[in-house]
Amino acid sequence: MSNVQHLDVIIIGAGISGVGSAYHLKQQCPDKKFIVLEGMESFGGTWLMHNYPGIRSDSDLYTFGYRFKPWTGAPIATGKEILNYMAEVIDEGELAGHIHYNHKIISADWQEEQQLWFITAQNKSTNEQVHYSTNFLWMNQGYYEHEKGYTPQWQGMEDFQGEIIHPQNWPEDLEYKNKKVVVIGSGATAATVAPNIANEVEHVTILQRSPTYFFPRKNENELADHLRDLDIDETILHDIVRKSILKEQKDFIKLSNDYPSAVKKALIDGVKGCLPENFDVDTHFTPNYDPWRQRIAVVPNGDLFEGIKAGKASIVTDQIEKFTETGLLLKSGNELEADIIITATGFNMSVLGGIKFYNNGSPIDFSKCVTYRGMMFTNMPNMLWVMGYFRASWTLRVDLLGDFVCRLLNHMDSKSAKKVSITLRPEDENMDLLPWIDTKEFNPSYILRSLHLLPKRGSNPEWQHTQDYWEEKEILPNIDLDEKVFKYS
């Protein structure tokens, strides 16, 4: 193939993962020639795509921020603040010249003879196809479709005379002032949108099928504020506060596993204290599952509950019978009037960015691969996939895997190896192959809907993505790169 540009490493995606990975690569492997291919018009990924009112993190930025870049603002940050933070990383790391925007990846083909990945992309600015080859492919494309969010199909949706909006595709010119708004959903997005439009709409109602856990907290970190008062250097402060939060999270998750009923009561009591007296907490804020089986949604400064107390927001726990011309008919027989219905119902998971993968021209079925620690896969040489944490900040794993990839690339150079592949060891041949994640431990709807598309995990610990940062931060840096699972050539 003519006009093929060759790189040592190609990073796919310039969101929070891709920018962090690029920074690590440039710092730890300074001689590697690399580019970052991004399908959108700029960096940011999630934080660029979403523009609904109040878009913010649901993790604290001391752990969601990168290990190498101190966070200096409030723990829960707006989307704009996160983009500004990423812009500083790109500038400080001199990464801008490496990032190619508006490049949508069409296919990736591993060619054994050359021991290279061949990438075909579309330059959306020129509508031309461009071609690359690379020794190593570093997948940082995120885990859901950017084009559209997940919206169930309900009876009568075409009859509704108002507007139906998914937060992922929020129109810039949406006029909701003095309108009746219903937000369908019970997670972090619903809990963000509702309080951020409550003062402008006539009324906003959150309609949920079942409750979720909420954690109201002040949007501040007392330890960080105290250390700043002592004029502690921000780099040292960032490290101390980060370690403190991670210790608190580890203890909280352990407590949730060991004493789920006690943690459940504490979480519900925390919400109850933010609501009007005699509010029906049992119906609307008491989940039917144990804590941490799904993410716990942070409510900074209790803003959702302030809207409820002020009478500008309300919550209804029911199911939809059908849409009507003027709103929603519920299974209970009650009706909700609405001018605008916002479907905060989640997203469609995109496995490997929807890219078509091949091995010597033969399609790779990702669901038939077996995962090595949720990052590398059988039948996919010289490739690593960044899938972060759900119970801890996503970016913690970006840092860990950044170190791992750079160590692996340097190790390959020391062996003069062009290829590394992941293979089952003799002791793995008879292990059970299981769904990618233990759904008894973590079971959000977007995972359950897409489980059949994801690779298999094995019953042996090396073949699992444990979602346990506190275990992996000890294991991943100490992986023996010459153990039997790695095959070099």
Side-chain angles (χ1 to χ4, degrees), residues 380-428:
M380 301 186 84
N382 289 25
M383 194 200 83
L384 182 136
W385 182 40
V386 175
M387 172 61 77
Y389 298 115
F390 299 118
R391 288 179 173 172
S393 290
W394 178 274
T395 330
L396 292 166
R397 203 163 197 255
V398 173
D399 284 331
L400 286 177
L401 295 186
D403 292 341
F404 176 82
V405 172
C406 293
R407 188 162 68 94
L408 178 62
L409 292 173
N410 289 329
H411 187 68
M412 291 175 70
D413 287 346
S414 72
K415 299 170 73 72
S416 299
K418 293 184 177 180
K419 175 185 174 183
V420 59
S421 56
I422 297 299
T423 58
L424 299 180
R425 305 161 301 182
E427 59 264 40
D428 301 318

Side-chain angles (χ1 to χ4, degrees), residues 125-151:
S125 300
T126 64
N127 208 32
E128 295 176 332
Q129 282 197 357
V130 288
H131 303 279
Y132 305 92
S133 64
T134 187
N135 301 85
F136 197 90
L137 192 56
W138 196 342
M139 301 298 295
N140 287 265
Q141 78 297 328
Y143 62 103
Y144 60 90
E145 289 183 12
H146 283 190
E147 285 75 15
K148 63 177 183 177
Y150 173 72
T151 300

Side-chain angles (χ1 to χ4, degrees), residues 10-14 35-39 98 100 103 105 119 121 132:
I10 291 180
I11 294 171
I12 305 298
I35 59 172
V36 181
L37 296 177
E38 168 57 53
H98 295 270
H100 296 208
H103 277 63
I105 313 303
I119 310 299
Y132 305 92

Side-chain angles (χ1 to χ4, degrees), residues 406-470:
C406 293
R407 188 162 68 94
L408 178 62
L409 292 173
N410 289 329
H411 187 68
M412 291 175 70
D413 287 346
S414 72
K415 299 170 73 72
S416 299
K418 293 184 177 180
K419 175 185 174 183
V420 59
S421 56
I422 297 299
T423 58
L424 299 180
R425 305 161 301 182
E427 59 264 40
D428 301 318
E429 293 293 342
N430 295 318
M431 70 176 175
D432 294 332
L433 294 183
L434 306 164
W436 180 74
I437 200 165
D438 184 351
T439 55
K440 292 180 181 178
E441 290 296 316
F442 192 75
N443 50 30
S445 297
Y446 60 86
I447 291 285
L448 299 180
R449 288 196 301 268
S450 302
L451 211 52
H452 64 290
L453 301 173
L454 290 162
K456 299 295 185 290
R457 66 185 164 98
S459 52
N460 292 342
E462 294 85 353
W463 302 96
Q464 301 181 20
H465 181 3
T466 64
Q467 287 291 326
D468 188 339
Y469 164 74
W470 296 272

Side-chain angles (χ1 to χ4, degrees), residues 23 73 113 129 153 223 311 323 391 440:
Y23 187 94
E113 185 176 352
Q129 282 197 357
Q153 294 303 300
L223 176 58
F323 280 56
R391 288 179 173 172
K440 292 180 181 178

